[in-house]
Amino acid sequence: MTRWMTDIIQGIDSGATFKARNDISIFAEQIGLRRLPIFRYDSAFENSDAIHARIDGITAGVKRGDTVYYQFPTYNGARFENFFVDHMAVRGISMVVLVHDIEFLRFPTNNTFNEIDYLNKCNIVIVHNQYMADILQENGVSSHMVNLNMFDYHIDTKIDDRDSIEKQVIVAGSLNKALYLKDWQYDLPIVAYGRQPDFSVSTRVDYRGSLSPDEVAQKLPSGFGLSWDTNTSTYENSEYYSKFNNPHKVSLYLSSGLPVIVKTGTAIAKVVATYNLGLVIDSLDNLKDNLQNISPDELLKMVIQVNHFRKLLMSGYFTKQAIMNAEFQLTMGYPERNLL
């Protein structure tokens, strides 16, 4: 039996779409999974027979009894997603879907793809965390689920541990979801990396342009990484979605050795609080006071925790653990039990 991980082939961008999928392919390969390349394209311009033929070509080497780990969504369109899982079922191939985003939670008014029905066609669904598992179950997902818990972050170049952290704010990623940069009024240094947003940032923001995901991890200055998405006309549900997703930018910050700042009530806040990886706060209005109130001893302990935790992310610990947990469920038919 061969295990496969889909490898989405697309242009490198400054966002998380390419980076997160590519990293998972890298880490999966390290524990024996074979890559299954899928080119990203728009299947809306292809008839159904052509899509079926394309999938047959992609999976020509996949045999009955194999397992395909499928990074979802591919953004190749609803027909491609459904045809792929249907092909696997007919051919006796187990399908484990590794979820990057759930669109009906992220874009509830613009999503026409029935993700619940799709996920229920799969043997196992790897989701971000228990909060995402719970909301999917509430909406009708009955497939077995495994929690990823964190997105790992692969970095080719060695990054030294940080021995100290400045009390300034660092923002990286999709700046269009960071409307607070438009009217940043706080007497607190803030540095931003990412594509130029659709709005003009405040003159108080030190905007340093866009870097590739690997470059930005190596070049982030000392500070606290801020993960604080806001609702916009384009990202209508960012604040609600944060209750269920693991932001990839948090993994970026931690891998670069930065403690993080996240909002109370978000899914990622539990990880940050449990492992002392930064601050969990209610409002940006309290950010300056929260930073100033961290004692030197508290900050040192936080930096040490981040330096330890980042090694897990850079080694692919969470990706590999989720795959192993999925393997156990596929083999035994139920989750691994705690024997201690």
Side-chain angles (χ1 to χ4, degrees):
M1 184 196 80
T2 303
R3 298 175 299 161
W4 306 80
M5 175 65 75
T6 59
D7 185 15
I8 310 303
I9 309 300
Q10 66 175 83
I12 298 175
D13 59 30
S14 59
T17 302
F18 169 82
K19 176 65 175 170
R21 286 161 172 77
N22 188 59
D23 284 0
I24 283 173
S25 297
I26 291 171
F27 293 130
E29 194 171 39
Q30 291 175 358
I31 55 171
L33 277 70
R34 294 182 61 181
R35 294 198 187 206
L36 190 64
I38 297 178
F39 283 87
R40 184 174 172 183
Y41 79 111
D42 188 351
S43 66
F45 300 98
E46 212 169 34
N47 64 45
S48 295
D49 287 342
I51 297 174
H52 285 298
R54 182 185 290 269
I55 293 171
D56 283 337
I58 291 169
T59 61
V62 182
K63 308 299 182 184
R64 179 174 293 273
D66 287 358
T67 301
V68 170
Y69 286 78
Y70 186 90
Q71 299 196 59
F72 172 84
T74 61
Y75 296 112
N76 285 355
R79 285 187 303 152
F80 183 93
E81 310 285 30
N82 277 309
F83 290 173
F84 195 102
V85 69
D86 291 343
H87 272 243
M88 298 303 98
V90 168
R91 291 165 52 186
I93 297 160
S94 297
M95 181 89 161
V96 179
V97 162
L98 194 154
V99 169
H100 285 269
D101 278 303
I102 297 294
E103 300 300 293
F104 84 86
L105 294 175
R106 197 160 67 131
F107 300 109
T109 63
N110 293 323
N111 185 51
T112 58
F113 178 32
N114 191 327
E115 292 167 293
I116 302 301
D117 285 352
Y118 169 79
L119 295 175
N120 281 337
K121 294 180 180 181
C122 305
N123 299 85
I124 293 176
V125 181
I126 299 177
V127 296
H128 292 200
N129 50 59
Q130 191 59 44
Y131 300 104
M132 183 174 282
D134 291 343
I135 193 68
L136 289 177
Q137 286 181 330
E138 289 173 18
N139 280 274
V141 172
S142 56
S143 297
H144 293 298
M145 284 187 263
V146 168
N147 296 338
L148 180 63
N149 294 316
M150 285 287 291
F151 279 103
D152 296 306
Y153 205 98
H154 181 264
I155 301 174
D156 284 321
T157 305
K158 184 178 183 297
I159 299 177
D160 293 331
D161 287 345
R162 299 182 190 255
D163 53 15
S164 64
I165 291 292
E166 300 296 323
K167 290 186 178 181
Q168 66 173 345
V169 179
I170 313 298
V171 181
S174 179
L175 301 183
N176 277 327
K177 292 186 284 185
L179 278 179
Y180 49 83
L181 296 177
K182 182 178 180 180
D183 303 306
W184 187 262
Q185 56 187 329
Y186 308 106
D187 183 20
L188 189 65
I190 180 167
V191 180
Y193 293 87
R195 289 180 183 172
Q196 177 70 50
D198 297 335
F199 53 84
S200 297
V201 301
S202 166
T203 56
R204 295 190 176 201
V205 176
D206 181 3
Y207 173 61
R208 299 187 182 179
S210 180
L211 298 171
S212 75
D214 288 323
E215 286 180 311
V216 72
Q218 298 169 40
K219 294 184 178 181
L220 288 180
S222 177
F224 282 74
L226 179 61
S227 178
W228 200 282
D229 291 345
T230 53
N231 293 340
T232 69
S233 58
T234 303
Y235 297 94
E236 58 178 319
N237 224 33
S238 290
E239 294 172 31
Y240 177 72
Y241 190 52
S242 68
K243 296 180 179 181
F244 313 108
N245 81 313
N246 294 338
H248 192 256
K249 68 180 65 178
V250 170
S251 299
L252 160 64
Y253 297 143
L254 293 173
S255 296
S256 185
L258 305 185
V260 297
I261 301 163
V262 299
K263 190 175 185 179
T264 303
T266 58
I268 201 66
K270 184 175 182 180
V271 177
V272 174
T274 300
Y275 298 108
N276 190 25
L277 302 175
L279 295 176
V280 179
I281 64 175
D282 297 325
S283 169
L284 291 179
D285 292 338
N286 305 326
L287 178 52
K288 183 177 180 180
D289 288 342
N290 285 122
L291 283 176
Q292 289 180 338
N293 290 335
I294 301 174
S295 70
D297 184 58
E298 290 171 332
L299 184 56
L300 178 59
K301 290 178 180 178
M302 195 179 290
V303 171
I304 291 172
Q305 284 294 100
V306 170
N307 283 335
H308 291 327
F309 197 84
R310 63 191 289 266
K311 293 176 175 62
L312 297 176
L313 299 178
M314 293 188 295
S315 70
Y317 171 84
F318 293 100
T319 301
K320 296 170 184 177
Q321 187 72 22
I323 291 171
M324 291 298 98
N325 288 343
E327 291 292 316
F328 188 96
Q329 284 210 34
L330 281 174
T331 303
M332 299 298 293
Y334 53 82
E336 185 175 5
R337 294 166 182 168
N338 188 349
L339 301 180
L340 300 178

